[in-house]
Amino acid sequence: AAVSAATVAAPALALAGAGNRAVELAERSFDQRLELGDQPRLMEPGIHVVSMALAQAELGDVEKAEALARAAYEAAVEARQIQGHAWLALILGRVLWLRRLPESLRWFREAASLFSDLDQAGQRRWCVAGGMMVAAMHGDAAAVAELAVTTDSIDPGPVQMMASDVMRARAWACVARGDQQDAKQLFRRAGILARARGAFALEVGARHDLVRLGEPGEVVDRLAELATMVDGELATVRADHAAALASGDTGNLEQVAERFETCGVSVLAAEAMAQAAALHRRAESARAAQRCGQRAAELDALAGGVCTPAMALAGEAAALTRREREITELAAQGLSNQDIADRLVVSRRTVANHLQRAYDKLGVAGRQELAAALGTSGRPPA
C-alpha cells in the first residue's frame, strides 16, 4: 500500500515544491518495490525513478536527474518494460527541456508514440505539449504548428497535474508566432492555475517565463516568496534573475547566468547572459557587451540553439562582420597590417579601417587586447 501511494505522493511533493521530501520518499519506495518482487498489481520500479528525476530537476540538479533517468531508461528498455520505457522517455524530455533542446524534443516524441500505443491519452498529451514548448524555444515553427494541432486533438483526461505546463506550452507557441501579448496572458494564467492547485514548483516556471520575456517587475515579489517555499537552488536563481533584471544589475545578472549553468539549465543561462549583454550595450560598455554576447553564444551552442526573445538580446550590433573577424584574428596572432593586407590581397588602408571598426565594437584600445576579446590564444598562425 505504501509503495502504491508513493507513485502519486512523490511526484505531487516534487510539483508542490517539496523536492527533498520527494526524493527521500521515491528512493525508499523504489527499494521497497524491488523487495516486493514480481507484483502484477503494482507499477514497475522505474516509476519511482521518474519521481526522483522529476524532483532532482526541480531542485536544480539537472545533471544528476539526467544520469538517473538515462540509467533507468536503459534498464526498462532491456527488460521490455513498456510502461517504464514510456515514462522514462517522458521524464528525459522534461529534464532536458532547459538543457539540450533538440534532444528533449526527440525524447518527447518517443514518449508520445509509446503512450499512444499504450492508449494513455493524458500522458501522451503532456508529451506533445512538452515537445511544443521545446520546439518553440528552438525556433522550429513547423513542429510548433504540428504539435499544437495534435495537443488540441487529445482528450486531456482526468489527471490534470500538468495542466499549467500545457498552458505554458501554448504560451510559448504564441511566442514562436510573434504574439507576445497573448503569450504573457497565458503565462499569467498558468501561474494562477499552478498556485491554485498548490503546484508551487510549476508556478515558479510559469512566473519565470515572464522574466524571460522581459517583464520581471510584475513577478519579482512573488518569485522571491516562492523561493522560500520551493526547495532547491533553481527556484532561488529564478527569483534572483527577476531581481537582477528588474534593477538592471549587470553584475548580478552575469552571476545568475553562471548559477543557471551550474544547475544544468543552459537555455536559461544563455538567455540571462544575453540580457546582460543588452544592458551593457545600453550603458555603452561595448567590451562588456561583447564578452557577454560571446558567452551567450557559447551557452546557446550547449543548449542546441535557443530562439527566444531573451536570446535575441545578445544582438548583432556588437558582432563582427566576417571580414572584420578574419582581420582581427590575424592581428591577434601577431601579423602586421601589411602582412594581413598581403595575405588577404587588400590594401593596408582597408585593413586599418576594418581593425578600427572592430576595436570600437569590441571596446578595446588596440591589437594587444584582441586575443582576450576574441577568446583566442593569440598564437601565431601555422
Side-chain angles (χ1 to χ4, degrees), residues 35-119:
E35 290 175 8
L36 288 169
D38 185 18
Q39 296 279 349
R41 292 178 180 270
L42 291 177
M43 294 189 73
E44 294 155 359
I47 196 63
H48 302 289
V49 179
V50 169
S51 298
M52 283 184 236
L54 174 64
Q56 292 287 4
E58 293 297 337
L59 287 168
D61 196 345
V62 176
E63 186 174 347
K64 183 174 182 178
E66 180 186 353
L68 186 67
R70 282 187 184 279
Y73 171 87
E74 292 168 5
V77 170
E78 185 177 353
R80 298 186 179 181
Q81 297 174 341
I82 305 303
Q83 282 280 1
H85 181 177
W87 275 102
L88 287 157
L90 170 108
I91 205 63
L92 277 165
R94 199 175 195 284
V95 164
L96 294 173
W97 67 359
L98 292 174
R99 184 170 173 85
R100 290 193 298 276
L101 296 174
E103 187 178 349
S104 172
L105 180 56
R106 183 185 73 76
W107 285 116
F108 275 129
R109 288 190 180 278
E110 179 176 329
S113 176
L114 289 164
F115 281 122
S116 179
D117 292 343
L118 291 166
D119 198 25

Side-chain angles (χ1 to χ4, degrees), residues 294 328 331-333 364 366-379:
Q294 288 180 343
T328 52
Q333 292 167 356
V364 301
R367 66 179 64 218
Q368 66 273 16
E369 300 177 41
L370 278 177
L374 294 170
T376 61
S377 65
R379 291 192 297 267

Side-chain angles (χ1 to χ4, degrees), residues 263-331:
C263 287
V265 285
S266 304
V267 173
L268 300 184
E271 289 181 340
M273 197 60 80
Q275 289 170 329
L279 289 179
H280 280 304
R281 196 175 301 117
R282 193 178 308 161
E284 299 184 353
S285 300
R287 186 171 185 178
Q290 179 69 15
R291 172 176 51 77
C292 289
Q294 288 180 343
R295 184 61 185 138
E298 293 167 2
L299 292 163
D300 173 58
L302 288 176
V306 183
C307 188
T308 63
M311 195 64 213
L313 295 174
E316 296 181 358
L320 302 180
T321 65
R322 181 186 62 80
R323 179 62 94 183
E324 287 166 354
R325 175 163 285 279
E326 189 175 28
I327 289 173
T328 52
E329 286 179 348
L330 290 172

Side-chain angles (χ1 to χ4, degrees), residues 9-22:
L13 285 167
L15 299 185
N20 292 322
R21 289 172 59 199

